[in-house]
Amino acid sequence: MSEKEDLAKQKAEAAAKAKAVALARKQAKEETAEKPKGEMDIAKQKAEAAAKAKAAALAKKQSKAETAEKPEGEMDAAKQKAAAAAKAKAAAMARKQAKAEAAEKPEGEMDAAKQKAAAAAKAKAAAAAKAKAAAAAKNRTAVQESEGGNTPSEISPNQSKLDQIVSAIESHVGQGALLEHYINRLSKDVPTLVANPDTYFSIAKFLRYDERLDFSYLSELHGTDFESHMEIYVHLHSFKMNQSVALKVKLDRDTPVIPSLVPLWSGANWPECEAYDLLGINFYEHPDLKRILLGEDWKGYPLRKDYEPYDVEV
């Protein structure tokens, strides 16, 4: 067969395919227009199935005809082209059918479909988040277990000094003077004392002047707003014991009032003024409590969690 004849045959077959598809579409539209909605969907499905079957049969027939006329090498190429064309045609028809069904569905059904899709997406996201959280928890547990053989079972080198300090405080200040005490593993194992607000000054005074303890150096004092309460943190050091200790006290957030430590350590002067200036903590018996950063006419306390600037541009 010559090239011209082959080309003419291909054109004729393409025209036949197009005519068959157009005829199937026309038939489907006519049947849809004449039938009720329930029957329309069925008729449409039948028409599309028939069109698919007709197109597949035509493609198969063409493939067989070309196979009979062509050598073996050309036959493989023709088969591949025919398969690719059939796949592309089926995908295009499926997309078209999906669009047509979406356009014909009532708004209520479309909303329901969207809701189902959204619910499925949410469920998938929730499952992924749950799996991620479980993996994180597993990692934390593994880390804790790996550390379990070393730190929790080991006694801190400062534990004996903490016991000594606590015993001395309870003997001289009282059994209920401390709310709690512990070794702060996250801060170089510093012994930490949490004082009752009523005994805060008495404990500080004992730490300062007891001959065995002699915490003569105040290295740090600051306040913190925890929203549920205020807290004062004091860091002290004893050169005699070669040991540091942290003293904490929790205050009522609405009326944060506590005795000043300036009579015990002069280095508490400016840190207490700063806590007053930025948090509004009142240190009574302070020799000169004043705002040192913002000025007396400043509105509010900037380090409080609920602080709103008086001038939003500042």
Side-chain angles (χ1 to χ4, degrees):
M1 185 182 289
S2 65
E3 292 183 4
K4 288 184 179 180
E5 290 176 348
D6 192 18
L7 182 62
K9 186 175 181 180
Q10 290 176 3
K11 287 182 179 179
E13 289 170 349
K17 282 182 185 179
K19 188 171 182 181
V21 172
L23 186 61
R25 288 177 182 167
K26 184 177 179 182
Q27 182 179 357
K29 286 182 180 179
E30 289 175 354
E31 291 175 356
T32 301
E34 293 173 359
K35 294 181 179 181
K37 187 175 181 180
E39 295 180 6
M40 280 168 63
D41 292 338
I42 298 172
K44 187 174 181 180
Q45 293 173 2
K46 287 182 178 179
E48 288 172 350
K52 285 182 182 178
K54 193 169 184 179
L58 189 60
K60 191 182 286 186
K61 184 178 179 181
Q62 181 185 357
S63 177
K64 286 182 180 180
E66 290 176 353
T67 300
E69 295 173 0
K70 291 184 180 180
E72 188 175 351
E74 293 182 8
M75 282 168 60
D76 292 338
K79 284 181 180 179
Q80 293 174 0
K81 286 182 181 179
K87 284 182 182 178
K89 190 168 184 180
M93 188 172 290
R95 286 195 296 269
K96 186 175 180 182
Q97 181 180 357
K99 286 182 180 179
E101 290 176 355
E104 292 174 2
K105 281 184 180 180
E107 188 176 350
E109 291 183 15
M110 288 174 67
D111 290 341
K114 285 181 180 178
Q115 290 173 2
K116 285 182 180 178
K122 283 182 181 178
K124 191 174 182 180
K130 191 174 182 180
K132 189 175 180 180
K138 188 176 181 181
N139 289 337
R140 285 196 300 271
T141 303
V143 170
Q144 290 171 358
E145 288 176 353
S146 66
E147 294 177 349
N150 298 322
T151 51
S153 59
E154 293 179 357
I155 298 175
S156 168
N158 293 331
Q159 185 62 51
S160 61
K161 292 184 179 179
L162 174 61
D163 294 340
Q164 177 187 346
I165 295 167
V166 170
S167 176
I169 289 172
E170 290 179 344
S171 298
H172 291 80
V173 182
Q175 289 292 327
L178 292 173
L179 295 179
E180 60 177 314
H181 52 84
Y182 55 90
I183 295 292
N184 190 341
R185 297 279 186 177
L186 301 178
S187 183
K188 300 180 180 179
D189 279 21
V190 63
T192 302
L193 311 170
V194 182
N196 188 313
D198 296 333
T199 58
Y200 167 70
F201 186 82
S202 299
I203 292 171
K205 186 176 180 180
F206 178 75
L207 293 173
R208 172 69 179 85
Y209 293 116
D210 182 78
E211 292 182 358
R212 293 169 300 170
L213 304 181
D214 192 25
F215 285 93
S216 58
Y217 179 57
L218 183 147
S219 61
E220 182 182 354
L221 186 152
H222 67 261
T224 306
D225 180 8
F226 287 93
E227 294 186 275
S228 60
H229 65 278
M230 294 285 188
E231 184 175 281
I232 295 294
Y233 177 94
V234 183
H235 194 273
L236 305 170
H237 186 76
S238 170
F239 295 99
K240 181 178 287 188
M241 295 181 67
N242 190 25
Q243 179 63 47
S244 294
V245 69
L247 176 62
K248 292 183 178 183
V249 62
K250 297 179 181 180
L251 308 176
D252 180 68
R253 194 172 183 276
D254 296 329
T255 55
V257 180
I258 200 72
S260 171
L261 297 184
V262 174
L264 306 177
W265 294 278
S266 59
N269 189 338
W270 279 68
E272 288 183 350
C273 286
E274 184 180 47
Y276 166 72
D277 193 8
L278 302 178
L279 289 163
I281 298 174
N282 190 1
F283 297 88
Y284 64 85
E285 295 185 6
H286 187 286
D288 186 23
L289 192 63
K290 60 184 178 181
R291 304 194 89 152
I292 58 174
L293 299 173
L294 302 176
E296 294 297 336
D297 58 342
W298 189 272
K299 306 292 184 183
Y301 304 100
L303 288 188
R304 287 198 174 208
K305 298 294 177 64
D306 57 357
Y307 173 71
E308 294 182 6
Y310 179 73
D311 185 350
V312 293
E313 295 182 359
V314 175

